[in-house]
Amino acid sequence: MLCCRATEPVVEAEVDVEAGMDGSGDAVSDAKASSIAEQLMQNPEVLSAIETKLAGMADVDSSPSAHMKNLPKPVIRRVKALKKLQFDMIQMESKFYEEVHQLECKYAELYAPILEKRNEIVSGEVEPTDEQCDWPSDEEDDEEAALAAETKEKLALEDVSAEDIKGVKSFWLIAFKNVDLLASMIQENDEPILEHLTNVKVQFSAEPMGFTLEFHFSPNEYFTDKVLTKSYEMRAEPDEEDPFSFEGPEIVACQGCVINWNKGKNVTVRVIKKKQKHQKSGTTRTITKEEQQDSFFNFFTPPAPELDEEEIDHETEALLQADYEIGHFIRERIVPRAVLFYTGEACEDDEDFEEEEDEDYEDDDEDDDLDPSCNN
């Protein structure tokens, strides 16, 4: 009896295997499953249950603040107290930045004599003394310090012609071109004009909070102005409608100046000549039309936004934001450190910092099996 019972399942298993080999068993199962699914999808109650489930999945809030909806009322009350404290902190931070701006105004006056000496050397008005020039160069080494006297005399004779050069030629043009942000603005037609740029100053304003960039030019054939200006108005108070977005002072408005171009020298426009033919008489005439073209000097004619900020289109908003960034960069970095941008040292420091960051990220993502010499 035990032996007989043991053999029956074996026979059934062999039958199942044979059915699976010819595929008839799977075909029957698939047909049954398809039929059952079709019947379920025609059942209104099943469809309603599926729709309810899907709707519930779509309504799931995965935002960082989703948990706030499920907090108990006492906790929500405490969070409101914390946000009020945060608002008090922002108000205090606003006062801090106002005092920082007052310090900037104070130290701008203290920096002025130093910056004036810089301008005198750059322009060639003053030749620096040996003591003023006593600063080590990166290129100097022990071998240069040990040069023989006759070699020094030879080099001195070769440098005699350099005495005819006044100051530091193209100082501001080169400093600007070493900054990607400004280099992209400078066109070929701009360079001869920027050769006449002798100084860039920052004038701070306490009330209203802001600053003005002054671009000083030597007499030239392009325009009659000696100084071109760009003024920026700043705000250190948080936005009333969104106070928690406050991250410090921001530029809220800017104003350029009119450039008095000499005839035919305006590099911000190009003149296009077109011929028109009269439909009836057949006579032709030539008309001239001016079109705006890319130029660094468009910087002094920023886009004028509408009074209602909601009316500003995305393109104008992007242009204004870029303009604010350029003005802030000139004030904050270029004017105080102009010589380092002229030599390229300030740019190299920025590049080194970015490269170190990139290397850190590459190390984090690097696979142990990858060839270390591979950049991909």
Side-chain angles (χ1 to χ4, degrees):
M1 295 294 291
L2 291 174
C3 182
C4 181
R5 290 176 180 174
T7 56
E8 288 177 357
V10 173
V11 174
E12 291 175 0
E14 291 176 354
V15 173
D16 290 339
V17 170
E18 292 175 358
M21 291 293 290
D22 61 15
S24 60
D26 288 345
V28 172
S29 299
D30 291 344
K32 288 182 179 180
S34 179
S35 176
I36 293 172
E38 185 176 353
Q39 293 177 12
L40 288 173
M41 294 305 294
Q42 293 177 354
N43 188 327
E45 294 181 358
V46 174
L47 290 175
S48 177
I50 294 174
E51 290 176 357
T52 302
K53 182 68 175 177
L54 291 175
M57 293 173 63
D59 292 339
V60 174
D61 188 355
S62 59
S63 65
S65 60
H67 65 283
M68 292 293 296
K69 298 178 181 179
N70 302 319
L71 290 178
K73 288 185 178 180
V75 177
I76 294 177
R77 182 172 176 273
R78 294 167 197 146
V79 170
K80 287 184 177 181
L82 294 175
K83 293 179 76 173
K84 190 173 181 181
L85 289 173
Q86 183 65 42
F87 179 76
D88 293 340
M89 178 73 78
I90 289 174
Q91 296 285 57
M92 189 69 69
E93 186 180 4
S94 173
K95 298 297 182 183
F96 164 77
Y97 284 116
E98 288 179 2
E99 292 191 19
V100 168
H101 186 72
Q102 295 293 338
L103 278 175
E104 284 184 314
C105 295
K106 173 185 175 181
Y107 274 86
E109 296 180 1
L110 300 177
Y111 293 145
I114 301 175
L115 296 178
E116 182 56 33
K117 289 180 181 179
R118 178 180 73 182
N119 179 55
E120 291 173 350
I121 294 174
V122 170
S123 64
E125 295 177 17
V126 173
E127 185 63 29
T129 64
D130 291 342
E131 183 181 354
Q132 290 175 318
C133 297
D134 185 18
W135 186 263
S137 300
D138 294 337
E139 294 80 10
E140 291 179 350
D141 52 29
D142 295 337
E143 293 182 2
E144 285 183 293
L147 282 175
E150 61 271 16
T151 306
K152 290 184 179 181
E153 291 178 4
K154 182 180 178 180
L155 291 174
L157 291 174
E158 292 177 353
D159 287 343
V160 169
S161 60
E163 293 180 359
D164 298 332
I165 301 175
K166 288 184 61 178
V168 183
K169 185 177 174 58
S170 308
F171 179 82
W172 290 101
L173 172 60
I174 293 173
F176 282 6
K177 291 183 69 175
N178 279 339
V179 179
D180 291 339
L181 190 65
L182 299 181
S184 61
M185 298 167 56
I186 298 174
Q187 307 301 312
E188 185 177 353
N189 291 336
D190 297 326
E191 295 194 18
I193 310 176
L194 291 173
E195 291 280 4
H196 292 277
L197 181 59
T198 60
N199 200 5
V200 181
K201 297 181 179 181
V202 182
Q203 303 292 348
F204 287 90
S205 169
E207 289 294 338
M209 178 185 287
F211 62 93
T212 298
L213 300 176
E214 295 181 354
F215 296 76
H216 294 251
F217 289 84
S218 60
N220 60 82
E221 61 181 295
Y222 299 96
F223 47 72
T224 59
D225 307 277
K226 293 183 179 180
V227 181
L228 301 181
T229 61
K230 184 72 171 286
S231 300
Y232 291 89
E233 183 179 341
M234 302 173 66
R235 180 179 64 194
E237 300 83 13
D239 189 343
E240 293 182 359
E241 296 182 0
D242 187 15
F244 295 132
S245 64
F246 181 73
E247 294 182 352
E250 59 179 344
I251 297 173
V252 294
C254 65
Q255 182 176 358
C257 68
V258 175
I259 302 178
N260 296 295
W261 295 98
N262 290 326
K263 187 177 180 180
K265 297 296 184 179
N266 188 347
V267 295
T268 65
V269 297
R270 59 180 176 179
V271 178
I272 299 176
K273 293 184 178 181
K274 291 184 178 181
K275 288 187 177 181
Q276 291 183 338
K277 186 176 182 180
H278 197 278
Q279 293 181 351
K280 294 182 179 180
S281 64
T283 58
T284 61
R285 66 175 182 176
T286 302
I287 62 170
T288 58
K289 182 181 179 182
E290 289 187 347
E291 289 186 356
Q292 187 172 0
Q293 65 178 356
D294 292 338
S295 170
F296 172 82
F297 292 89
N298 288 327
F299 175 70
F300 299 96
T301 312
E306 300 292 335
L307 295 177
D308 186 356
E309 293 185 1
E310 296 180 357
E311 297 297 328
I312 300 178
D313 59 85
H314 293 297
E315 183 179 357
T316 302
E317 186 177 0
L319 290 173
L320 284 172
Q321 185 61 35
D323 187 281
Y324 296 166
E325 291 177 4
I326 293 168
H328 179 75
F329 192 85
I330 293 174
R331 163 212 165 184
E332 194 77 11
R333 298 288 306 280
I334 296 180
V335 172
R337 298 172 174 81
V339 65
L340 301 181
F341 283 99
Y342 173 81
T343 62
E345 294 169 82
C347 309
E348 291 171 1
D349 290 342
D350 291 341
E351 290 173 0
D352 291 343
F353 180 73
E354 291 173 1
E355 288 174 2
E356 288 175 4
E357 283 187 336
D358 293 341
E359 290 172 1
D360 290 340
Y361 283 112
E362 287 173 2
D363 290 340
D364 291 340
D365 298 334
E366 192 174 58
D367 190 359
D368 293 336
D369 296 331
L370 293 178
D371 184 350
S373 63
C374 182
N375 293 329
N376 297 330

